[in-house]
Amino acid sequence: MRPRVLSGMRPTGALHLGHYHGALKNWVRLQDDHDCFYFVADWHALTTHYEDREVIEKTVYDMVIDWLAAGLDPERSTIFIQSRLPEHGELFTLLAMGTPLGWLERVPTYKDQIDKLKDRDLATYGFLGYPLLQAADILIYRANYVPVGEDQASHVELTREVARRFNHLYGRSGGFEAKVAAALARLPKDDQRYYEKQRKTFGETGSAEAWGKGEALIQRAAAAVEGWGSDESELLRGHLRGGGKTILTEPQALHTEVLRLPGLDGSKMSKSYGNAVLMRDEPADVTKKIRGMTTDPARVRRTDPGDPEKCPVWDFHKVYSNDATRDWVVQGCKSAGIGCLDCKQPVIDAVIAEQKPWRERAASFTADPKKVHWIVEMGTERARTVAKATMKDVREAMGLNY
Ligand code: TRP
Ligand code: SF4
């Protein structure tokens, strides 16, 4: 089984090159060797933009088209919309019961965002709780990896704490000890003793070696013991750790190296700052936008030398150009041998070339919106199967299985 990846994106407008290079490109790559779940985080968008229903409503399917245009493949990735799966809300509610308020107040994005988005009233219950909603999004699919930017790393950390606490509180319910004993009884006596020894050592010293040996034994049992399933393995793994059964899986953040692409004016690329090149901008607009980009202010006249390190165009060259072109830029900029418009041309060409397959794929979807709806429908149902199975275990563990 391939490890599962889950990530979400808020539907707040058309996607731009910053989204592509900062996240989407990585999502596409992960499809090769992971079981990928990608969703439209429409509830998340409402945590900050609860007054902007039009933007969200208008953007949901457009964003899915941007994803498909970038190369997400519905055969390999499960693509869905958060609000179509009320199970996310149910898990959020259940997790909320035992989550200390301090855990949420201490999430660094909480105070940061309140300071940054001064024009909005974010003193809301939903805004404080949204990292917990994110935890529910992740845990409900038992994701192993979550590709997120630096800014969201603390949310994955919170998710891990929430999972640990849940397993600790509820993982021992339902006759846990008896089930462990029954599973162990199916192993040869020598293995039982060996397992107990590793568990004891791990419990006392936290030895990674003991953990590894115990884990290896569980894997051997899974391969050798007739009728041994993943339930038995999870049971023992929880027991080995000294906790209860693992009901919710602790995910790991996946920080792949991403290339940061600034906006046209050098600040963060964002549609609301009006400094973005959109994934589906027409070539003429791309040309116009990049020709108008901010450059090193020292280059007032064509004959004034400049410094690429002080110029956002250079960041584009880092993403889009090869070594030869970059040498040409450094050399030409510092000696005033080239003008800024000369310098920008290879970037313009590269962006337009990069967009070509996106534009083609997007065209086939905009011409046939039913196809996009169908893809989302399929993904939503696939996601529902997984979410329902998790919720069944969660309800049972919490004693809500009437
Ligand atoms: N909170 C994320 C953002 O604002 C989006 C998101 C919601 C997400 N749920 C998630 C990302 C789960 C990763 C995993 O960008
Ligand atoms: Fe920027 Fe290129 Fe102009 Fe130098 S020549 S200031 S790198 S656009």
Side-chain angles (χ1 to χ4, degrees), residues 27-59:
W27 286 18
V28 172
R29 207 162 21 195
L30 285 165
Q31 298 181 115
D32 293 339
D33 36 23
H34 294 80
D35 179 22
C36 295
F37 279 60
Y38 297 126
F39 72 98
V40 178
D42 53 352
W43 281 350
H44 282 260
L46 285 169
T47 62
T48 46
H49 293 62
Y50 50 87
E51 291 170 311
D52 302 343
R53 64 180 292 271
E54 290 81 10
V55 184
I56 298 171
E57 190 174 27
K58 200 176 137 310
T59 309

Side-chain angles (χ1 to χ4, degrees), residues 122-399:
L122 293 182
T124 60
Y125 173 57
F127 185 68
L128 175 67
Y130 103 83
L132 188 63
L133 178 60
Q134 185 164 352
D137 300 336
I138 297 167
L139 296 173
I140 205 164
Y141 299 106
R142 297 184 158 125
N144 305 104
Y145 297 106
V146 184
V148 284
E150 279 297 316
D151 57 323
Q152 300 260 314
S154 59
H155 296 177
V156 180
E157 200 39 56
L158 174 79
T159 305
R160 294 167 59 84
E161 282 174 59
V162 168
R164 229 174 286 148
R165 184 172 170 87
F166 187 92
N167 293 333
H168 181 77
L169 287 174
Y170 305 112
R172 287 167 178 283
S173 56
F176 176 71
E177 302 292 344
K179 284 185 193 159
V180 168
L184 280 174
R186 295 164 68 184
L187 301 177
K189 280 270 179 291
D190 279 356
D191 280 357
Q192 293 181 25
R193 272 192 294 274
Y194 180 82
Y195 169 87
E196 270 311 328
K197 190 169 146 229
Q198 306 313 329
R199 182 173 108 95
K200 189 154 174 287
T201 310
F202 180 69
E204 285 166 6
T205 66
S207 147
E209 193 192 336
W211 171 264
K213 285 181 175 168
E215 169 77 31
L217 182 124
I218 296 171
Q219 279 174 20
R220 274 204 305 283
V225 178
E226 175 107 356
W228 186 284
S230 57
D231 262 11
E232 280 79 6
S233 295
E234 276 311 310
L235 208 61
L236 281 202
R237 229 169 252 135
H239 185 243
L240 179 66
R241 188 182 296 118
K245 183 181 171 200
T246 309
I247 299 162
L248 298 176
T249 307
E250 279 182 49
Q252 278 173 40
L254 206 57
H255 298 290
T256 8
E257 201 220 341
V258 289
L259 295 159
R260 231 159 265 299
L261 208 58
L264 298 167
D265 57 358
S267 66
K268 187 176 172 356
M269 191 181 282
S270 162
K271 202 175 171 217
S272 55
Y273 301 161
N275 66 358
V277 178
L278 304 183
M279 281 183 64
R280 287 192 271 149
D281 266 342
E282 290 299 326
D285 293 322
V286 173
T287 306
K288 195 162 141 235
K289 284 181 175 180
I290 296 178
R291 285 174 75 93
M293 253 183 101
T294 306
T295 59
D296 176 358
R299 297 208 69 182
V300 182
R301 280 166 307 242
R302 167 71 175 76
T303 48
D304 295 330
D307 178 1
E309 292 302 335
K310 294 181 183 148
C311 175
V313 179
W314 178 236
D315 291 304
F316 275 64
H317 277 293
K318 286 189 208 154
V319 173
Y320 286 101
S321 298
N322 59 22
D323 287 345
T325 307
R326 285 200 286 241
D327 287 346
W328 169 79
V329 171
V330 174
Q331 168 66 23
C333 180
K334 291 187 168 170
S335 65
I338 59 172
C340 289
L341 288 179
D342 304 325
C343 180
K344 289 168 173 176
Q345 195 55 47
V347 171
I348 294 171
D349 296 339
V351 171
I352 292 175
E354 177 179 60
Q355 287 176 316
K356 188 163 178 281
W358 301 344
R359 250 194 310 274
E360 287 165 4
R361 277 188 290 245
S364 82
F365 290 112
T366 43
D368 188 2
K370 276 217 190 82
K371 202 149 75 181
V372 186
H373 284 251
W374 179 242
I375 286 168
V376 171
E377 218 52 41
M378 299 268 291
T380 302
E381 290 318 311
R382 213 185 299 166
R384 201 184 306 284
T385 309
V386 180
K388 275 195 153 154
T390 306
M391 285 319 296
K392 186 164 175 290
D393 291 352
V394 165
R395 280 186 219 114
E396 191 177 299
M398 292 184 80

